[in-house]
Amino acid sequence: MSTPHQQMFFQHLFGIGQLSKEQIEHLVSMGESFIELSRRPIKKAPTLRGKTVINLFFENSTRTRTSFEIAGKRLSADVINISASTSATSKGETLLDTAETLAAMQPHVLVIRHSIAGTCEFLADFLPHTSIVNAGDGAHEHPTQILTDLLTLKTQASGYEGITMTIVGDIAHSRVARSHLLAAQKLGYKVRVVAPKTLLPSQVEQYGCEVFHNFDEAIPGSDVLYMLRVQTERLTDNCSFPSIREYHEAYGLNRKRLALAGDNCVVMHPGPMNRGVEISSDVADSARSRILDQVEHGVAVRMAVLTALCGTAPEPEKRTPRREKAEAAMQAQGKLL
Ligand code: CP
């Protein structure tokens, strides 16, 4: 039977859905303890010396990729960045072959972003000796963004327990919204979702959230207005979207709308934001905005995640399940590899 301390750790981070309330709180608290490191003149600690982290990104990223890189380097890990355009997948290599190739170089952690939901779980079956972190998979999950947001809320007087977070915009295609809906059920904060019907997933109520189509009606009583970018890259032809002007009129956060909120209501956005679409520049740059706090806390939370995972990955071995399976099949046929 595992001890409470061991229960705080896990080999992979696929999503908020896999974590208990205690594990989420532990990672957020660990992240809080790392904030100070980034504010020191010398931003270095030896925690991950001798560990190797590979960032493997098949979608564009500014915040997540850079913060994983900074987090690893500030903790003295060796960090390597690979993007789709510079990897051999651009020459026809499969994702699995690329991942197995990188795993053969014995990294401790692979941080993966991919447009296909479930990519990390799929790869983990073939890479049992490498820890995998989901840095965003399609419209499925983005766990480290949620840990980042929770840390930002923890640094607020209100904390996150019992607050009302109003998530506005393209809920249907948002991995961030989905991960928050899962986290809220575990941690006891309330979520309101606001979107036109075309940008809401079917049966979203099953997550225990309140659903609004009128943004103005959802604002009073909100502690956080959490704005989302419209994920134009994930919109399909049959998903109608109004013009940018119409969208901003109905679902954009501007000063006039912010005035409907209570004095302590804050504004958050996971980024990248489209000024003038889901958020006006004056609100994004206002004293209510916590957007750059989220970015700062993203580094601290990723330090926590890397530290937790590097403490748990099994010792590397040379053979992968795929190779073992292939060898068994060959031997069964009386051949040698
Ligand atoms: N929030 C977020 O995932 O931003 P990036 O796409 O820049 O990583």
PDB file of all heavy atoms in Angstrom, residues 178-215:
ATOM      1  N   ARG A 178     -12.276  22.666 -20.842  1.00  0.00           N
ATOM      2  CA  ARG A 178     -12.584  21.289 -20.427  1.00  0.00           C
ATOM      3  C   ARG A 178     -11.806  20.932 -19.157  1.00  0.00           C
ATOM      4  O   ARG A 178     -12.360  20.358 -18.216  1.00  0.00           O
ATOM      5  CB  ARG A 178     -12.245  20.325 -21.563  1.00  0.00           C
ATOM      6  CG  ARG A 178     -12.749  18.948 -21.321  1.00  0.00           C
ATOM      7  CD  ARG A 178     -12.742  18.079 -22.566  1.00  0.00           C
ATOM      8  NE  ARG A 178     -13.306  16.795 -22.209  1.00  0.00           N
ATOM      9  CZ  ARG A 178     -12.631  15.868 -21.549  1.00  0.00           C
ATOM     10  NH1 ARG A 178     -11.370  16.064 -21.216  1.00  0.00           N
ATOM     11  NH2 ARG A 178     -13.214  14.721 -21.217  1.00  0.00           N
ATOM     12  N   SER A 179     -10.525  21.282 -19.131  1.00  0.00           N
ATOM     13  CA  SER A 179      -9.727  20.951 -17.943  1.00  0.00           C
ATOM     14  C   SER A 179     -10.221  21.728 -16.725  1.00  0.00           C
ATOM     15  O   SER A 179     -10.206  21.210 -15.598  1.00  0.00           O
ATOM     16  CB  SER A 179      -8.241  21.242 -18.201  1.00  0.00           C
ATOM     17  OG  SER A 179      -7.723  20.340 -19.157  1.00  0.00           O
ATOM     18  N   HIS A 180     -10.661  22.987 -16.923  1.00  0.00           N
ATOM     19  CA  HIS A 180     -11.200  23.742 -15.778  1.00  0.00           C
ATOM     20  C   HIS A 180     -12.498  23.108 -15.271  1.00  0.00           C
ATOM     21  O   HIS A 180     -12.735  23.058 -14.059  1.00  0.00           O
ATOM     22  CB  HIS A 180     -11.446  25.207 -16.158  1.00  0.00           C
ATOM     23  CG  HIS A 180     -10.316  26.102 -15.730  1.00  0.00           C
ATOM     24  ND1 HIS A 180      -9.896  26.192 -14.406  1.00  0.00           N
ATOM     25  CD2 HIS A 180      -9.513  26.941 -16.429  1.00  0.00           C
ATOM     26  CE1 HIS A 180      -8.887  27.044 -14.336  1.00  0.00           C
ATOM     27  NE2 HIS A 180      -8.625  27.504 -15.536  1.00  0.00           N
ATOM     28  N   LEU A 181     -13.325  22.634 -16.194  1.00  0.00           N
ATOM     29  CA  LEU A 181     -14.582  22.012 -15.761  1.00  0.00           C
ATOM     30  C   LEU A 181     -14.289  20.776 -14.896  1.00  0.00           C
ATOM     31  O   LEU A 181     -14.967  20.517 -13.904  1.00  0.00           O
ATOM     32  CB  LEU A 181     -15.428  21.645 -16.983  1.00  0.00           C
ATOM     33  CG  LEU A 181     -16.079  22.851 -17.689  1.00  0.00           C
ATOM     34  CD1 LEU A 181     -16.555  22.478 -19.091  1.00  0.00           C
ATOM     35  CD2 LEU A 181     -17.234  23.404 -16.865  1.00  0.00           C
ATOM     36  N   LEU A 182     -13.250  20.035 -15.263  1.00  0.00           N
ATOM     37  CA  LEU A 182     -12.864  18.858 -14.473  1.00  0.00           C
ATOM     38  C   LEU A 182     -12.270  19.276 -13.123  1.00  0.00           C
ATOM     39  O   LEU A 182     -12.576  18.681 -12.085  1.00  0.00           O
ATOM     40  CB  LEU A 182     -11.844  18.014 -15.253  1.00  0.00           C
ATOM     41  CG  LEU A 182     -12.367  17.353 -16.532  1.00  0.00           C
ATOM     42  CD1 LEU A 182     -11.226  16.754 -17.341  1.00  0.00           C
ATOM     43  CD2 LEU A 182     -13.400  16.272 -16.200  1.00  0.00           C
ATOM     44  N   ALA A 183     -11.442  20.310 -13.144  1.00  0.00           N
ATOM     45  CA  ALA A 183     -10.798  20.770 -11.894  1.00  0.00           C
ATOM     46  C   ALA A 183     -11.829  21.333 -10.925  1.00  0.00           C
ATOM     47  O   ALA A 183     -11.752  21.101  -9.715  1.00  0.00           O
ATOM     48  CB  ALA A 183      -9.741  21.827 -12.220  1.00  0.00           C
ATOM     49  N   ALA A 184     -12.810  22.067 -11.463  1.00  0.00           N
ATOM     50  CA  ALA A 184     -13.811  22.703 -10.603  1.00  0.00           C
ATOM     51  C   ALA A 184     -14.594  21.670  -9.810  1.00  0.00           C
ATOM     52  O   ALA A 184     -14.906  21.871  -8.632  1.00  0.00           O
ATOM     53  CB  ALA A 184     -14.755  23.539 -11.467  1.00  0.00           C
ATOM     54  N   GLN A 185     -14.882  20.528 -10.455  1.00  0.00           N
ATOM     55  CA  GLN A 185     -15.638  19.479  -9.758  1.00  0.00           C
ATOM     56  C   GLN A 185     -14.836  18.913  -8.587  1.00  0.00           C
ATOM     57  O   GLN A 185     -15.382  18.513  -7.582  1.00  0.00           O
ATOM     58  CB  GLN A 185     -15.977  18.352 -10.730  1.00  0.00           C
ATOM     59  CG  GLN A 185     -17.023  18.770 -11.765  1.00  0.00           C
ATOM     60  CD  GLN A 185     -17.322  17.662 -12.764  1.00  0.00           C
ATOM     61  OE1 GLN A 185     -16.432  16.925 -13.163  1.00  0.00           O
ATOM     62  NE2 GLN A 185     -18.561  17.554 -13.161  1.00  0.00           N
ATOM     63  N   LYS A 186     -13.508  18.903  -8.733  1.00  0.00           N
ATOM     64  CA  LYS A 186     -12.668  18.335  -7.680  1.00  0.00           C
ATOM     65  C   LYS A 186     -12.386  19.349  -6.575  1.00  0.00           C
ATOM     66  O   LYS A 186     -12.244  18.995  -5.416  1.00  0.00           O
ATOM     67  CB  LYS A 186     -11.336  17.856  -8.262  1.00  0.00           C
ATOM     68  CG  LYS A 186     -11.503  16.692  -9.235  1.00  0.00           C
ATOM     69  CD  LYS A 186     -10.201  16.383  -9.967  1.00  0.00           C
ATOM     70  CE  LYS A 186     -10.470  15.499 -11.163  1.00  0.00           C
ATOM     71  NZ  LYS A 186      -9.913  14.174 -11.087  1.00  0.00           N
ATOM     72  N   LEU A 187     -12.250  20.618  -6.963  1.00  0.00           N
ATOM     73  CA  LEU A 187     -11.752  21.611  -6.018  1.00  0.00           C
ATOM     74  C   LEU A 187     -12.834  22.506  -5.427  1.00  0.00           C
ATOM     75  O   LEU A 187     -12.550  23.345  -4.577  1.00  0.00           O
ATOM     76  CB  LEU A 187     -10.695  22.499  -6.697  1.00  0.00           C
ATOM     77  CG  LEU A 187      -9.437  21.781  -7.160  1.00  0.00           C
ATOM     78  CD1 LEU A 187      -8.492  22.739  -7.837  1.00  0.00           C
ATOM     79  CD2 LEU A 187      -8.716  21.122  -5.996  1.00  0.00           C
ATOM     80  N   GLY A 188     -14.062  22.383  -5.931  1.00  0.00           N
ATOM     81  CA  GLY A 188     -15.146  23.142  -5.314  1.00  0.00           C
ATOM     82  C   GLY A 188     -15.206  24.598  -5.724  1.00  0.00           C
ATOM     83  O   GLY A 188     -15.528  25.454  -4.913  1.00  0.00           O
ATOM     84  N   TYR A 189     -14.847  24.919  -6.970  1.00  0.00           N
ATOM     85  CA  TYR A 189     -15.216  26.243  -7.475  1.00  0.00           C
ATOM     86  C   TYR A 189     -16.302  26.067  -8.524  1.00  0.00           C
ATOM     87  O   TYR A 189     -16.483  24.983  -9.070  1.00  0.00           O
ATOM     88  CB  TYR A 189     -14.018  27.053  -7.980  1.00  0.00           C
ATOM     89  CG  TYR A 189     -13.151  26.477  -9.084  1.00  0.00           C
ATOM     90  CD1 TYR A 189     -13.292  26.889 -10.401  1.00  0.00           C
ATOM     91  CD2 TYR A 189     -12.147  25.554  -8.807  1.00  0.00           C
ATOM     92  CE1 TYR A 189     -12.462  26.396 -11.409  1.00  0.00           C
ATOM     93  CE2 TYR A 189     -11.311  25.054  -9.802  1.00  0.00           C
ATOM     94  CZ  TYR A 189     -11.486  25.471 -11.096  1.00  0.00           C
ATOM     95  OH  TYR A 189     -10.675  24.992 -12.085  1.00  0.00           O
ATOM     96  N   LYS A 190     -17.072  27.150  -8.716  1.00  0.00           N
ATOM     97  CA  LYS A 190     -18.209  27.050  -9.645  1.00  0.00           C
ATOM     98  C   LYS A 190     -17.787  27.589 -10.999  1.00  0.00           C
ATOM     99  O   LYS A 190     -17.023  28.557 -11.072  1.00  0.00           O
ATOM    100  CB  LYS A 190     -19.390  27.870  -9.119  1.00  0.00           C
ATOM    101  CG  LYS A 190     -19.941  27.398  -7.789  1.00  0.00           C
ATOM    102  CD  LYS A 190     -21.076  28.284  -7.337  1.00  0.00           C
ATOM    103  CE  LYS A 190     -21.253  28.243  -5.818  1.00  0.00           C
ATOM    104  NZ  LYS A 190     -20.231  28.976  -5.083  1.00  0.00           N
ATOM    105  N   VAL A 191     -18.304  26.978 -12.041  1.00  0.00           N
ATOM    106  CA  VAL A 191     -17.996  27.458 -13.396  1.00  0.00           C
ATOM    107  C   VAL A 191     -19.289  27.825 -14.106  1.00  0.00           C
ATOM    108  O   VAL A 191     -20.271  27.070 -14.075  1.00  0.00           O
ATOM    109  CB  VAL A 191     -17.219  26.402 -14.218  1.00  0.00           C
ATOM    110  CG1 VAL A 191     -17.046  26.870 -15.663  1.00  0.00           C
ATOM    111  CG2 VAL A 191     -15.851  26.127 -13.605  1.00  0.00           C
ATOM    112  N   ARG A 192     -19.292  29.016 -14.688  1.00  0.00           N
ATOM    113  CA  ARG A 192     -20.337  29.398 -15.642  1.00  0.00           C
ATOM    114  C   ARG A 192     -19.681  29.397 -17.017  1.00  0.00           C
ATOM    115  O   ARG A 192     -18.554  29.898 -17.150  1.00  0.00           O
ATOM    116  CB  ARG A 192     -20.843  30.821 -15.361  1.00  0.00           C
ATOM    117  CG  ARG A 192     -21.534  30.962 -14.021  1.00  0.00           C
ATOM    118  CD  ARG A 192     -21.892  32.419 -13.756  1.00  0.00           C
ATOM    119  NE  ARG A 192     -22.588  32.543 -12.492  1.00  0.00           N
ATOM    120  CZ  ARG A 192     -22.874  33.691 -11.904  1.00  0.00           C
ATOM    121  NH1 ARG A 192     -22.525  34.844 -12.471  1.00  0.00           N
ATOM    122  NH2 ARG A 192     -23.521  33.714 -10.753  1.00  0.00           N
ATOM    123  N   VAL A 193     -20.352  28.856 -17.996  1.00  0.00           N
ATOM    124  CA  VAL A 193     -19.825  28.949 -19.361  1.00  0.00           C
ATOM    125  C   VAL A 193     -20.751  29.848 -20.170  1.00  0.00           C
ATOM    126  O   VAL A 193     -21.979  29.773 -20.032  1.00  0.00           O
ATOM    127  CB  VAL A 193     -19.653  27.568 -20.044  1.00  0.00           C
ATOM    128  CG1 VAL A 193     -18.572  26.760 -19.358  1.00  0.00           C
ATOM    129  CG2 VAL A 193     -20.948  26.791 -20.083  1.00  0.00           C
ATOM    130  N   VAL A 194     -20.130  30.693 -20.990  1.00  0.00           N
ATOM    131  CA  VAL A 194     -20.883  31.658 -21.801  1.00  0.00           C
ATOM    132  C   VAL A 194     -20.418  31.525 -23.241  1.00  0.00           C
ATOM    133  O   VAL A 194     -19.225  31.677 -23.526  1.00  0.00           O
ATOM    134  CB  VAL A 194     -20.612  33.111 -21.332  1.00  0.00           C
ATOM    135  CG1 VAL A 194     -21.490  34.079 -22.111  1.00  0.00           C
ATOM    136  CG2 VAL A 194     -20.811  33.264 -19.843  1.00  0.00           C
ATOM    137  N   ALA A 195     -21.352  31.239 -24.137  1.00  0.00           N
ATOM    138  CA  ALA A 195     -20.981  31.081 -25.553  1.00  0.00           C
ATOM    139  C   ALA A 195     -22.235  31.041 -26.409  1.00  0.00           C
ATOM    140  O   ALA A 195     -23.318  30.703 -25.909  1.00  0.00           O
ATOM    141  CB  ALA A 195     -20.192  29.776 -25.746  1.00  0.00           C
ATOM    142  N   PRO A 196     -22.084  31.340 -27.685  1.00  0.00           N
ATOM    143  CA  PRO A 196     -23.205  31.046 -28.583  1.00  0.00           C
ATOM    144  C   PRO A 196     -23.367  29.530 -28.682  1.00  0.00           C
ATOM    145  O   PRO A 196     -22.414  28.783 -28.431  1.00  0.00           O
ATOM    146  CB  PRO A 196     -22.752  31.644 -29.929  1.00  0.00           C
ATOM    147  CG  PRO A 196     -21.272  31.781 -29.827  1.00  0.00           C
ATOM    148  CD  PRO A 196     -20.928  31.909 -28.378  1.00  0.00           C
ATOM    149  N   LYS A 197     -24.571  29.100 -29.049  1.00  0.00           N
ATOM    150  CA  LYS A 197     -24.830  27.643 -29.069  1.00  0.00           C
ATOM    151  C   LYS A 197     -23.820  26.904 -29.935  1.00  0.00           C
ATOM    152  O   LYS A 197     -23.435  25.769 -29.639  1.00  0.00           O
ATOM    153  CB  LYS A 197     -26.250  27.380 -29.596  1.00  0.00           C
ATOM    154  CG  LYS A 197     -27.318  27.717 -28.570  1.00  0.00           C
ATOM    155  CD  LYS A 197     -28.654  27.108 -28.938  1.00  0.00           C
ATOM    156  CE  LYS A 197     -29.665  27.370 -27.836  1.00  0.00           C
ATOM    157  NZ  LYS A 197     -30.689  28.348 -28.142  1.00  0.00           N
ATOM    158  N   THR A 198     -23.364  27.550 -31.020  1.00  0.00           N
ATOM    159  CA  THR A 198     -22.446  26.872 -31.949  1.00  0.00           C
ATOM    160  C   THR A 198     -21.061  26.651 -31.346  1.00  0.00           C
ATOM    161  O   THR A 198     -20.269  25.868 -31.884  1.00  0.00           O
ATOM    162  CB  THR A 198     -22.266  27.701 -33.237  1.00  0.00           C
ATOM    163  OG1 THR A 198     -21.969  29.040 -32.861  1.00  0.00           O
ATOM    164  CG2 THR A 198     -23.502  27.650 -34.105  1.00  0.00           C
ATOM    165  N   LEU A 199     -20.754  27.345 -30.257  1.00  0.00           N
ATOM    166  CA  LEU A 199     -19.426  27.188 -29.649  1.00  0.00           C
ATOM    167  C   LEU A 199     -19.507  26.520 -28.275  1.00  0.00           C
ATOM    168  O   LEU A 199     -18.600  26.664 -27.448  1.00  0.00           O
ATOM    169  CB  LEU A 199     -18.721  28.552 -29.557  1.00  0.00           C
ATOM    170  CG  LEU A 199     -18.387  29.217 -30.902  1.00  0.00           C
ATOM    171  CD1 LEU A 199     -17.689  30.557 -30.699  1.00  0.00           C
ATOM    172  CD2 LEU A 199     -17.517  28.311 -31.776  1.00  0.00           C
ATOM    173  N   LEU A 200     -20.604  25.804 -28.045  1.00  0.00           N
ATOM    174  CA  LEU A 200     -20.756  25.044 -26.795  1.00  0.00           C
ATOM    175  C   LEU A 200     -20.780  23.548 -27.115  1.00  0.00           C
ATOM    176  O   LEU A 200     -21.459  23.135 -28.059  1.00  0.00           O
ATOM    177  CB  LEU A 200     -22.080  25.394 -26.129  1.00  0.00           C
ATOM    178  CG  LEU A 200     -22.122  26.555 -25.151  1.00  0.00           C
ATOM    179  CD1 LEU A 200     -23.548  26.747 -24.664  1.00  0.00           C
ATOM    180  CD2 LEU A 200     -21.188  26.349 -23.967  1.00  0.00           C
ATOM    181  N   PRO A 201     -20.083  22.735 -26.339  1.00  0.00           N
ATOM    182  CA  PRO A 201     -20.181  21.288 -26.580  1.00  0.00           C
ATOM    183  C   PRO A 201     -21.557  20.787 -26.151  1.00  0.00           C
ATOM    184  O   PRO A 201     -22.162  21.348 -25.236  1.00  0.00           O
ATOM    185  CB  PRO A 201     -19.082  20.692 -25.692  1.00  0.00           C
ATOM    186  CG  PRO A 201     -18.678  21.755 -24.753  1.00  0.00           C
ATOM    187  CD  PRO A 201     -19.198  23.063 -25.226  1.00  0.00           C
ATOM    188  N   SER A 202     -22.024  19.720 -26.798  1.00  0.00           N
ATOM    189  CA  SER A 202     -23.312  19.171 -26.382  1.00  0.00           C
ATOM    190  C   SER A 202     -23.162  18.585 -24.980  1.00  0.00           C
ATOM    191  O   SER A 202     -22.090  18.096 -24.608  1.00  0.00           O
ATOM    192  CB  SER A 202     -23.773  18.107 -27.375  1.00  0.00           C
ATOM    193  OG  SER A 202     -22.843  17.062 -27.384  1.00  0.00           O
ATOM    194  N   GLN A 203     -24.211  18.672 -24.214  1.00  0.00           N
ATOM    195  CA  GLN A 203     -24.260  18.125 -22.848  1.00  0.00           C
ATOM    196  C   GLN A 203     -23.192  18.705 -21.921  1.00  0.00           C
ATOM    197  O   GLN A 203     -22.694  18.014 -21.028  1.00  0.00           O
ATOM    198  CB  GLN A 203     -24.148  16.605 -22.888  1.00  0.00           C
ATOM    199  CG  GLN A 203     -25.282  15.982 -23.705  1.00  0.00           C
ATOM    200  CD  GLN A 203     -25.223  14.470 -23.718  1.00  0.00           C
ATOM    201  OE1 GLN A 203     -24.146  13.874 -23.735  1.00  0.00           O
ATOM    202  NE2 GLN A 203     -26.380  13.848 -23.735  1.00  0.00           N
ATOM    203  N   VAL A 204     -22.859  19.983 -22.124  1.00  0.00           N
ATOM    204  CA  VAL A 204     -21.843  20.591 -21.260  1.00  0.00           C
ATOM    205  C   VAL A 204     -22.322  20.637 -19.809  1.00  0.00           C
ATOM    206  O   VAL A 204     -21.512  20.643 -18.873  1.00  0.00           O
ATOM    207  CB  VAL A 204     -21.449  21.999 -21.796  1.00  0.00           C
ATOM    208  CG1 VAL A 204     -22.587  22.989 -21.685  1.00  0.00           C
ATOM    209  CG2 VAL A 204     -20.195  22.511 -21.113  1.00  0.00           C
ATOM    210  N   GLU A 205     -23.648  20.645 -19.616  1.00  0.00           N
ATOM    211  CA  GLU A 205     -24.207  20.712 -18.249  1.00  0.00           C
ATOM    212  C   GLU A 205     -23.768  19.514 -17.402  1.00  0.00           C
ATOM    213  O   GLU A 205     -23.782  19.583 -16.175  1.00  0.00           O
ATOM    214  CB  GLU A 205     -25.744  20.736 -18.283  1.00  0.00           C
ATOM    215  CG  GLU A 205     -26.358  21.916 -18.997  1.00  0.00           C
ATOM    216  CD  GLU A 205     -26.510  21.689 -20.495  1.00  0.00           C
ATOM    217  OE1 GLU A 205     -26.033  20.649 -20.994  1.00  0.00           O
ATOM    218  OE2 GLU A 205     -27.094  22.568 -21.156  1.00  0.00           O
ATOM    219  N   GLN A 206     -23.368  18.413 -18.068  1.00  0.00           N
ATOM    220  CA  GLN A 206     -22.979  17.220 -17.301  1.00  0.00           C
ATOM    221  C   GLN A 206     -21.780  17.500 -16.394  1.00  0.00           C
ATOM    222  O   GLN A 206     -21.496  16.740 -15.470  1.00  0.00           O
ATOM    223  CB  GLN A 206     -22.685  16.046 -18.238  1.00  0.00           C
ATOM    224  CG  GLN A 206     -21.380  16.181 -18.981  1.00  0.00           C
ATOM    225  CD  GLN A 206     -21.174  15.087 -20.029  1.00  0.00           C
ATOM    226  OE1 GLN A 206     -22.034  14.275 -20.265  1.00  0.00           O
ATOM    227  NE2 GLN A 206     -20.009  15.093 -20.647  1.00  0.00           N
ATOM    228  N   TYR A 207     -21.045  18.588 -16.673  1.00  0.00           N
ATOM    229  CA  TYR A 207     -19.905  18.953 -15.825  1.00  0.00           C
ATOM    230  C   TYR A 207     -20.344  19.754 -14.592  1.00  0.00           C
ATOM    231  O   TYR A 207     -19.501  20.194 -13.810  1.00  0.00           O
ATOM    232  CB  TYR A 207     -18.904  19.793 -16.627  1.00  0.00           C
ATOM    233  CG  TYR A 207     -18.181  19.012 -17.701  1.00  0.00           C
ATOM    234  CD1 TYR A 207     -18.587  19.079 -19.029  1.00  0.00           C
ATOM    235  CD2 TYR A 207     -17.087  18.210 -17.382  1.00  0.00           C
ATOM    236  CE1 TYR A 207     -17.913  18.382 -20.021  1.00  0.00           C
ATOM    237  CE2 TYR A 207     -16.407  17.503 -18.370  1.00  0.00           C
ATOM    238  CZ  TYR A 207     -16.825  17.590 -19.682  1.00  0.00           C
ATOM    239  OH  TYR A 207     -16.170  16.897 -20.659  1.00  0.00           O
ATOM    240  N   GLY A 208     -21.638  19.992 -14.460  1.00  0.00           N
ATOM    241  CA  GLY A 208     -22.122  20.718 -13.288  1.00  0.00           C
ATOM    242  C   GLY A 208     -21.963  22.221 -13.395  1.00  0.00           C
ATOM    243  O   GLY A 208     -21.966  22.923 -12.376  1.00  0.00           O
ATOM    244  N   CYS A 209     -21.819  22.723 -14.616  1.00  0.00           N
ATOM    245  CA  CYS A 209     -21.655  24.170 -14.790  1.00  0.00           C
ATOM    246  C   CYS A 209     -22.997  24.825 -15.135  1.00  0.00           C
ATOM    247  O   CYS A 209     -23.936  24.157 -15.534  1.00  0.00           O
ATOM    248  CB  CYS A 209     -20.646  24.457 -15.897  1.00  0.00           C
ATOM    249  SG  CYS A 209     -21.110  23.730 -17.478  1.00  0.00           S
ATOM    250  N   GLU A 210     -23.059  26.153 -14.959  1.00  0.00           N
ATOM    251  CA  GLU A 210     -24.220  26.925 -15.420  1.00  0.00           C
ATOM    252  C   GLU A 210     -23.938  27.383 -16.845  1.00  0.00           C
ATOM    253  O   GLU A 210     -22.807  27.796 -17.145  1.00  0.00           O
ATOM    254  CB  GLU A 210     -24.391  28.169 -14.569  1.00  0.00           C
ATOM    255  CG  GLU A 210     -25.082  27.963 -13.245  1.00  0.00           C
ATOM    256  CD  GLU A 210     -25.289  29.319 -12.574  1.00  0.00           C
ATOM    257  OE1 GLU A 210     -24.343  29.774 -11.907  1.00  0.00           O
ATOM    258  OE2 GLU A 210     -26.359  29.915 -12.724  1.00  0.00           O
ATOM    259  N   VAL A 211     -24.940  27.360 -17.683  1.00  0.00           N
ATOM    260  CA  VAL A 211     -24.754  27.719 -19.094  1.00  0.00           C
ATOM    261  C   VAL A 211     -25.489  29.027 -19.398  1.00  0.00           C
ATOM    262  O   VAL A 211     -26.659  29.182 -19.050  1.00  0.00           O
ATOM    263  CB  VAL A 211     -25.277  26.600 -20.016  1.00  0.00           C
ATOM    264  CG1 VAL A 211     -25.114  26.982 -21.483  1.00  0.00           C
ATOM    265  CG2 VAL A 211     -24.545  25.291 -19.729  1.00  0.00           C
ATOM    266  N   PHE A 212     -24.788  29.953 -20.021  1.00  0.00           N
ATOM    267  CA  PHE A 212     -25.365  31.236 -20.432  1.00  0.00           C
ATOM    268  C   PHE A 212     -25.081  31.462 -21.916  1.00  0.00           C
ATOM    269  O   PHE A 212     -24.011  31.094 -22.405  1.00  0.00           O
ATOM    270  CB  PHE A 212     -24.735  32.414 -19.667  1.00  0.00           C
ATOM    271  CG  PHE A 212     -25.038  32.440 -18.194  1.00  0.00           C
ATOM    272  CD1 PHE A 212     -24.375  31.607 -17.311  1.00  0.00           C
ATOM    273  CD2 PHE A 212     -25.978  33.326 -17.692  1.00  0.00           C
ATOM    274  CE1 PHE A 212     -24.643  31.643 -15.951  1.00  0.00           C
ATOM    275  CE2 PHE A 212     -26.257  33.366 -16.335  1.00  0.00           C
ATOM    276  CZ  PHE A 212     -25.593  32.519 -15.461  1.00  0.00           C
ATOM    277  N   HIS A 213     -26.023  32.107 -22.594  1.00  0.00           N
ATOM    278  CA  HIS A 213     -25.753  32.571 -23.959  1.00  0.00           C
ATOM    279  C   HIS A 213     -25.604  34.082 -23.986  1.00  0.00           C
ATOM    280  O   HIS A 213     -25.099  34.641 -24.955  1.00  0.00           O
ATOM    281  CB  HIS A 213     -26.867  32.108 -24.902  1.00  0.00           C
ATOM    282  CG  HIS A 213     -27.004  30.609 -24.928  1.00  0.00           C
ATOM    283  ND1 HIS A 213     -25.988  29.773 -25.345  1.00  0.00           N
ATOM    284  CD2 HIS A 213     -28.010  29.801 -24.538  1.00  0.00           C
ATOM    285  CE1 HIS A 213     -26.375  28.515 -25.226  1.00  0.00           C
ATOM    286  NE2 HIS A 213     -27.592  28.506 -24.733  1.00  0.00           N
ATOM    287  N   ASN A 214     -26.075  34.727 -22.915  1.00  0.00           N
ATOM    288  CA  ASN A 214     -25.975  36.185 -22.821  1.00  0.00           C
ATOM    289  C   ASN A 214     -24.872  36.539 -21.815  1.00  0.00           C
ATOM    290  O   ASN A 214     -24.976  36.248 -20.617  1.00  0.00           O
ATOM    291  CB  ASN A 214     -27.327  36.747 -22.352  1.00  0.00           C
ATOM    292  CG  ASN A 214     -27.309  38.260 -22.308  1.00  0.00           C
ATOM    293  OD1 ASN A 214     -26.405  38.869 -21.734  1.00  0.00           O
ATOM    294  ND2 ASN A 214     -28.306  38.875 -22.929  1.00  0.00           N
ATOM    295  N   PHE A 215     -23.801  37.136 -22.302  1.00  0.00           N
ATOM    296  CA  PHE A 215     -22.633  37.429 -21.460  1.00  0.00           C
ATOM    297  C   PHE A 215     -23.019  38.367 -20.309  1.00  0.00           C
ATOM    298  O   PHE A 215     -22.655  38.129 -19.147  1.00  0.00           O
ATOM    299  CB  PHE A 215     -21.542  38.047 -22.345  1.00  0.00           C
ATOM    300  CG  PHE A 215     -20.190  38.227 -21.683  1.00  0.00           C
ATOM    301  CD1 PHE A 215     -19.903  37.722 -20.420  1.00  0.00           C
ATOM    302  CD2 PHE A 215     -19.169  38.893 -22.360  1.00  0.00           C
ATOM    303  CE1 PHE A 215     -18.657  37.890 -19.832  1.00  0.00           C
ATOM    304  CE2 PHE A 215     -17.912  39.068 -21.784  1.00  0.00           C
ATOM    305  CZ  PHE A 215     -17.668  38.567 -20.516  1.00  0.00           C
TER     306      PHE A 215
END
